[in-house]
Structure formats: structure tokens, C-alpha cells
Amino acid sequence: MSSIRHLIHGLVRDIGFPVRRLLPAAAVRTVGPFVFFDHMGPVEFDSDTTEGDVRPHPHIGLATVTYLFSGAMMHRDSLGVVQRITPGAVNWMAAGRGIVHSERVPEDIRNDKVPVHGLQMWVALPKDEEQGEASFHHYPETDMPRIELDGASLHLLAGKAYGQQSPVRTSSPTLYLSGRIKAGATLSLPADYSERAVYVVTGAASLDGEALEAGVLAVLEPGGEVKLTAQSDALFMLLGGEPIDGPRFVWWNFVASSKELIESAKLSWRAQDRSVFPAIPGEVEWIPLPEK
């Protein structure tokens, strides 16, 4: 019996730079609390341009989780947070009932032609938190547990695995791990969470003998350890957790347990209602609400 329930190849989209969208997909809408998964880059941006900048935009009902492999981004939000996002750090922004943020490519990254490469994930907040207060937490790379196993080096970003616990505060049982595995090495993936998926960022690997190429999300069958074997040196991600507390609606940058919350957010952003979506200090631009 295969360890893989679904293979998701994703769709490449241009949002000013190329991204591969893996979640939500037709076959799988969520993995644990993860409702959105974009793989961005690697891409270099020209000096004296705004290519790659994501202007101020709103969120509700979710937590954004940004993780970079190279390059950097500058985060600003309506809480007044200004944070340079660097490789290996975890940046966890809970939108609650409303937050606005921007993500811009720093000038030195443009000038030095440093490729920006990373993942942007969204985690659905539990129903009792989706209308709560917004927050932002930055966890430096050095705060994340490092786990060294035979042929594999792991960086535990959220949850528990291999006897370690990440300091990242999550709102529901969540697993998020980045790993590098050497060619020929085999790693047993933990079975501590009901829902799991593996994504090979670079390189090639197999899951219990089934080939898994880079850029494909393998959603695993529940229960039991799965063996990941590297055919070449590989960089991979392991994500999952427990199922969220009911279905979620996703429209543009909004995630909610009801369509009414989505519709209310649309009206508030169109009207630029600052009681719901405060302005970002120092920012004057904003992305209009899509008409479709």
C-alpha cells in the first residue's frame, strides 16, 4: 500500500514574480491547519525598481508564516511592526479580525542581486481566535531547535518532533520542519500528527520507495512512519498537524469559517475602514479589492 494519498503538482502564477501554489488544491484543501502554500522564487530583482514588492493588503482569520531560504524581505504591518525577514527565521503574523501588512524587497538585496527564495504559508486560526486581536511574532533562526541525525540536518519550526519542541506559539497542533538530507540517506518521518505532507524544495527523494520530485507536494496517508530517502542531496519541508475545527472559506487574502465574515471584510477593505483595517505607519499605497 502506498504511503502517499495525493501528489499535488501545483500551479505557477505570476504575482509580480513567479510562485508555485500548492494549497489549496482541488484534491486537497488543507493539510492540518495549513490552508495555503506558495513557493516563491528563487528570483533576483532589479535595482531601482519595486519588482517583487507586495504593497499593503489585508488579512482576516489566518496566520501568515514566512520562511526564507535566501534573500530577505522587509515586513511592515498595521501594528507598527517593522521586521527584516531573513533565512531560517520564522515570522508568524496572526490576523485575527483584521490586519494590514506589506512585504518589500530590501535595497541591498536588489543591489547585490541576492536571489529571494522561500515559502509563504497560511494557517487557519481556530474559530475562537479568528475574530481576536492581531499579533506578530518573530523567531530568529537560532531559536529553532536543530536536530542532527544520520545524514540529515533538521530545523524544527513549529510543533514537536524527534523529541524536540519549537518555541513558536501555534493556535492548534501544528507541525512544520525544514530539513536537508544527503544523497543515499534515509530518514523516518514522525507519525505524531494526523495529517502530514512532504515537499521537496530542491533535489530528489522517495517516500517508501515511491519517487518524489522537487516542486511536488506529497500528502501522506495517516498513521505510521514513512521513510524519506534522498536520491540526491535534497532540501525538503514536512508540514501538517491536526485537522482544523471545521471547513474554511478562502477568498483573496481572507480566510473565515463563514461567508458572512468574508463579505464583511470585503466591504471594510473597499471602504478603507480603519476601525477594521488600520493603516501601516509610513505606507501610503494599498492593493484594491479584486472585482472578481
Side-chain angles (χ1 to χ4, degrees), residues 103-126:
E103 295 163 298
R104 298 185 183 273
V105 181
E107 185 177 354
D108 61 304
I109 297 297
R110 295 182 185 277
N111 293 339
D112 295 341
K113 293 294 184 183
V114 180
V116 177
H117 186 201
L119 304 177
Q120 172 89 161
M121 318 287 262
W122 295 354
V123 171
L125 295 176

Side-chain angles (χ1 to χ4, degrees), residues 3 186-189 206-209 225-229:
S3 302
T186 295
L187 175 70
S188 291
L189 303 180
S206 64
L207 292 166
D208 286 349
E225 288 191 346
V226 176
K227 293 190 181 299
L228 174 73
T229 301

Side-chain angles (χ1 to χ4, degrees), residues 166-195:
S166 167
V168 173
R169 180 191 174 278
T170 63
S171 297
S172 62
T174 304
L175 174 64
Y176 196 28
L177 180 150
S178 175
R180 294 184 181 273
I181 183 168
K182 295 180 180 178
T186 295
L187 175 70
S188 291
L189 303 180
D192 303 331
Y193 296 87
S194 299
E195 299 184 356

Side-chain angles (χ1 to χ4, degrees), residues 43-291:
V43 59
E44 297 177 5
F45 296 105
D46 291 334
S47 302
D48 301 319
T49 72
T50 58
E51 293 175 356
D53 284 359
V54 182
R55 294 171 293 152
H57 58 281
H59 288 293
I60 66 166
L62 58 85
T64 64
V65 187
T66 306
Y67 185 78
L68 297 180
F69 305 114
S70 65
M73 297 293 288
M74 187 63 73
H75 164 97
R76 292 181 173 85
D77 65 38
S78 51
L79 298 172
V81 174
V82 178
Q83 177 64 56
R84 185 181 173 104
I85 299 174
T86 55
V90 172
N91 297 271
W92 195 285
M93 184 186 76
R97 63 177 172 268
I99 197 168
V100 183
H101 76 136
S102 65
E103 295 163 298
R104 298 185 183 273
V105 181
E107 185 177 354
D108 61 304
I109 297 297
R110 295 182 185 277
N111 293 339
D112 295 341
K113 293 294 184 183
V114 180
V116 177
H117 186 201
L119 304 177
Q120 172 89 161
M121 318 287 262
W122 295 354
V123 171
L125 295 176
K127 291 178 183 177
D128 61 359
E129 293 187 22
E130 66 177 347
Q131 286 290 287
E133 297 293 330
S135 64
F136 178 89
H137 292 94
H138 170 77
Y139 301 87
E141 178 186 13
T142 52
D143 284 3
M144 302 300 114
R146 288 284 183 181
I147 304 165
E148 301 295 332
L149 300 172
D150 188 21
S153 179
L154 311 178
H155 199 201
L156 183 57
L157 310 178
K160 299 178 182 179
Y162 302 102
Q164 298 288 328
Q165 169 77 59
S166 167
V168 173
R169 180 191 174 278
T170 63
S171 297
S172 62
T174 304
L175 174 64
Y176 196 28
L177 180 150
S178 175
R180 294 184 181 273
I181 183 168
K182 295 180 180 178
T186 295
L187 175 70
S188 291
L189 303 180
D192 303 331
Y193 296 87
S194 299
E195 299 184 356
R196 299 165 295 164
V198 178
Y199 183 71
V200 175
V201 180
T202 58
S206 64
L207 292 166
D208 286 349
E210 292 186 69
L212 179 60
E213 62 187 79
V216 177
L217 183 68
V219 180
L220 304 182
E221 292 286 356
E225 288 191 346
V226 176
K227 293 190 181 299
L228 174 73
T229 301
Q231 269 62 61
S232 63
D233 289 356
L235 168 62
F236 73 95
M237 307 299 291
L238 175 62
L239 60 138
E242 298 307 317
I244 54 178
D245 56 348
R248 290 298 190 272
F249 299 95
V250 179
W251 187 88
W252 192 40
N253 298 313
F254 304 142
V255 173
S257 60
S258 73
K259 291 182 178 179
E260 289 75 17
L261 289 173
I262 299 281
E263 293 303 316
S264 178
K266 287 182 185 181
L267 293 174
S268 295
W269 183 247
R270 184 181 287 118
Q272 287 292 282
D273 183 346
R274 297 306 188 194
S275 68
V276 179
F277 295 118
I280 302 173
E283 290 273 19
V284 296
E285 298 180 291
W286 58 289
I287 299 176
L289 189 79
E291 292 306 315

